[in-house]
Amino acid sequence: AKQAGRNRFCFFEQSMNQRVHEHLLVLQGIDQALAEHQLFLEYQPVFDLQRDVISGAEALVRWRHPRQGLVSPASFIPIVEESDRIEALTLWVLTQACRDLRDRILPRAPGFKLSLNVSGVALQSDSLRDRVLETLSREGVSPASLRLEITETTMMRDIEKSAETLKLWQQAGLRILIDDFGTGYSSLSYLTSLPIDGLKIDRSFISQLQQSSQGPVVDAILALSRTLGIETIAEGIETQEQLQLLRQMRASHGQGYLLGRPMPVSQLRTLLEHPQPL
Ligand code: C2E
Ligand code: CA
Ligand code: CA
Ligand code: CA
C-alpha cells in the first residue's frame, strides 16, 4: 500500500511538474513567437448554405514552436489568456488578418466577412478596447468586413465590462458573434443584455445531429435566431447528412471539415477564384 501511495504521489508530482513546465514554456516562448514570426494564421471557409458560396472565413492562429513543433491553439491560448500577453497576441492576430484581408482576400471577394476569435479575458482591458479600433483604421480595413467571435464562458467574468466594450465595437461597425453557443451556463439571459449579431452553434450539437435528441435543440436555436433577427453559423459540419439536415432546418451559414479545413491564405484565394460545388 505504501508502495502504491508513493507511486501515486510520484505520478501526481510528475504531472504537476509537466503542467508547470508547459505553462513556463508557453509564457516564456510567446514573446519570442510574436517577435520571430513563429505564429501564423490559417483560414477556415464559412459557407452561405442557402446560396452555396463562401461568404467568409474564420482566422485560426497556429504556433510553429522551434522545438515543440506545431502547437495547437487549444493548448496554448488558455495559458496565454491567464497572462497579460493575450493582448499582444490578440493585436498580432488582428493586424495579420487585416493585412491578408486587405491585400489578398477583399480584392477577389468584396463582400467577404472575416471572423476573429477574441478572448473574453481581453475584453476586460481598456487599452485593448481602443487599440482594436486603432488597428483597423491604421490598416485601412472597414470594421464591416470583420466579425469578432467571443465565447460565452470567458465573457461572463465581468459581464458589464464586456457589454460596454462590445457596444463600443458594435457602434464602430464590428459584428459580434457568440462562439460555442449552447455550451455555457446562462446562454439565454445575455442574448438580450449584450449586443449580439450572431451565434455560432457549437460543434457538439452538430456532431450529434443524426442522433435525434440534438435535432430539436438546433432547430430551436435557429428559430430563436430568426426571431431575434441575428445570424447563425453551424460549426463542425463533417458529414453530408449533417449538411442536409441543417439545410432542411434553414440554417443560414455553416463551417466544418466537410466544407473546408483551415488553410493558408493562398489556398483560400484559389478557392475563391475557383469555387468547388458542395
Ligand atoms: P473555436 O473558435 O471553436 O474554433 C473551431 C475549432 O474547431 C478549430 O480548432 C477548428 O480547426 C476546429 N474545427 C473546424 N471544423 C471542424 C470539424 O468539422 N470537425 C472538428 N473535429 N473540428 C473542426 P483549432 O484551430 O485547433 O482552434 C481551437 C480553439 O483555439 C478555437 O476554438 C479558439 O477557441 C482558439 N483559437 C484559435 N485561434 C485563436 C485566436 O486567434 N485567438 C483566440 N483568442 N483564440 C483562438
Ligand atoms: Ca471561433
Ligand atoms: Ca467555436
Ligand atoms: Ca471552441
Side-chain angles (χ1 to χ4, degrees), residues 101-204:
L101 189 63
R102 182 192 65 205
D103 300 338
R104 313 199 57 190
I105 300 174
L106 285 176
R108 312 276 151 142
F112 198 90
K113 308 296 180 206
L114 188 61
S115 272
L116 302 179
N117 291 286
V118 174
S119 163
V121 180
L123 280 185
Q124 319 300 329
S125 151
D126 289 333
S127 75
L128 186 83
R129 184 190 60 207
D130 300 333
R131 288 175 75 190
V132 162
L133 299 179
E134 282 161 20
T135 303
L136 292 180
S137 63
R138 188 190 66 224
E139 297 300 329
V141 167
S142 161
S145 299
L146 292 176
R147 306 222 173 318
L148 304 182
E149 300 187 4
I150 305 180
T151 56
E152 19 182 320
T153 36
T154 52
M155 204 159 47
M156 300 312 285
R157 291 199 185 178
D158 184 343
I159 191 94
E160 274 162 36
K161 183 94 188 172
S162 301
E164 218 175 276
T165 301
L166 294 179
K167 272 178 194 139
L168 190 96
W169 285 348
Q170 198 187 45
Q171 273 156 19
L174 287 162
R175 286 175 163 253
I176 313 296
L177 307 180
I178 299 294
D179 205 351
D180 303 348
F181 183 75
T183 58
Y185 289 108
S186 50
S187 309
L188 296 176
S189 66
Y190 57 66
L191 279 179
T192 47
S193 58
L194 291 174
I196 289 162
D197 300 294
L199 306 176
K200 295 197 75 169
I201 306 176
D202 191 64
R203 174 159 57 90
S204 58

Side-chain angles (χ1 to χ4, degrees), residues 21 78 92 157-159 173 197 224 239 257 273:
H21 182 65
W92 182 87
R157 291 199 185 178
D158 184 343
I159 191 94
D197 300 294
L224 176 71
T239 69
Y257 291 170
E273 281 164 30

Side-chain angles (χ1 to χ4, degrees), residues 201-219 222 234-237 239-247 249 251:
I201 306 176
D202 191 64
R203 174 159 57 90
S204 58
F205 296 103
I206 308 304
S207 63
Q208 294 174 46
L209 210 51
Q210 290 108 308
Q211 286 129 47
S212 69
S213 63
Q214 299 299 348
V217 176
V218 173
D219 220 4
L222 293 170
E235 285 195 296
I237 303 173
T239 69
Q240 282 291 347
E241 290 96 312
Q242 289 162 359
L243 180 62
Q244 246 131 47
L245 282 169
L246 286 163
R247 283 215 166 102
M249 295 179 188

Side-chain angles (χ1 to χ4, degrees), residues 38-73:
Q38 294 166 14
L39 300 181
F40 62 99
L41 295 181
E42 285 191 320
Y43 296 94
Q44 184 176 34
V46 172
F47 281 79
D48 179 327
L49 297 182
Q50 304 305 316
R51 296 190 303 131
D52 270 3
V53 292
I54 296 176
S55 56
E58 176 177 5
L60 295 156
V61 70
R62 273 85 183 88
W63 183 354
R64 194 174 285 114
H65 192 281
R67 284 182 310 281
Q68 312 288 313
L70 209 56
V71 187
S72 155

